[in-house]
Amino acid sequence: GKVRAPTHIISTISDDRGEEPMYAGVPMSSIVEQGLGVGDVISLLWFKRSLPRYCTRFIEICVMLCADHGPCVSGAHNTIVTARAGKDLVSSLVSGLLTIGPRFGGAIDDAARYFKDAYDKGLTPYEFVESMKKKGIRVPGIGHRIKRGDNRDKRVELLQLFARTNFPSVKYMEYAVEVETYTLSKANNLVLNVDGAIGSLFLDLLAGSGMFTKQEIDEIVGIGYLNGLFVLARSIGLIGHTFDQKRLKQPLYRHPWEDVLYTK
Ligand code: ACO
Ligand code: LMR
């Protein structure tokens, strides 16, 4: 009989062996014919299923709103310096992407983890925030360098408005807002930031859509899929910054001495 040769790779998200490539079993022609968008493609390749339109629209809004935030933020700054050092597109892009992490753009997964844990345990915002303080951990999803209680992040407001209008439940987001109310009573810079808004709202998407089991939600949050949204989105802006610097023929960047405190 036939002997099945052992394989070295297992793959479950896409298949290009047939007449046309398939994403999670859906042929590309069907994606185009149905007029689906990038949110649907993300759903198929990341979550291995088609999601309702309000979910894919939410994913697309996250990508659009996080695509760029000006030239001064960590990621864009790195990309600009790298492009001005004469490096190629991919080098300039990854140089910016490498700044995404716990302080900048990469707090979405931890925000989801901590908000979920605190909400599911029934902790009050006071108990949650003070327990984090005792552990010496900054609350992921809270705090911003320039946004304040009296100068909210428009992206957060837009995401909240969309979810309040379209999601069946926004219980995790409302919890994050209660946490923000408490942190704002401590300091004016401790707003719910865009990472915290996406983290909490994605919990609502996962739990409220009826498309995921509890075990699948735990796996998504545990593995940490959600920083991928920021990485994907910000790549759009970082690529733009690379082209911008090349178009402007900007010279090698050198930081001014006057802006460095030389001290012993
Ligand atoms: N939880 C608790 N306390 C905080 C937090 C927080 N998330 N953020 C700031 N503080 C407090 C601290 O007491 C801090 O004092 P410390 O240095 O003694 O610990 C003080 O506020 C510092 O405030 P700022 O100078 O305004 O904050 P900083 O510029 O140092 O940090 C940052 C800004 C990195 C965003 C911070 O708020 C933070 O670490 N937040 C959590 C991570 C996060 O959500 N990052 C995503 C930001 S949004 C984005 O990047 C797209
Ligand atoms: C961003 O999206 O890059 C910002 O929220 C970070 C910042 O410091 O403005």
Side-chain angles (χ1 to χ4, degrees), residues 65-66 68-70 72-75 103-105 144-147 153 155 193-195 230 234:
L65 295 182
C66 294
D68 198 42
H69 208 244
C72 301
V73 305
S74 317
R103 294 181 181 169
F104 169 67
H144 199 272
R145 290 302 292 260
I146 56 169
K147 296 298 168 190
D153 191 327
R155 297 170 295 182
N193 61 42
V194 73
D195 284 13
F230 193 91
R234 193 51 59 94

Side-chain angles (χ1 to χ4, degrees), residues 201-229:
L201 280 169
F202 228 95
L203 291 174
D204 286 319
L205 183 154
L206 294 169
S209 63
M211 300 293 294
F212 299 88
T213 64
K214 205 182 151 309
Q215 202 183 348
E216 285 174 331
I217 296 174
D218 288 342
E219 187 181 52
I220 289 165
V221 174
I223 290 176
Y225 285 32
L226 307 180
N227 288 342
L229 287 169

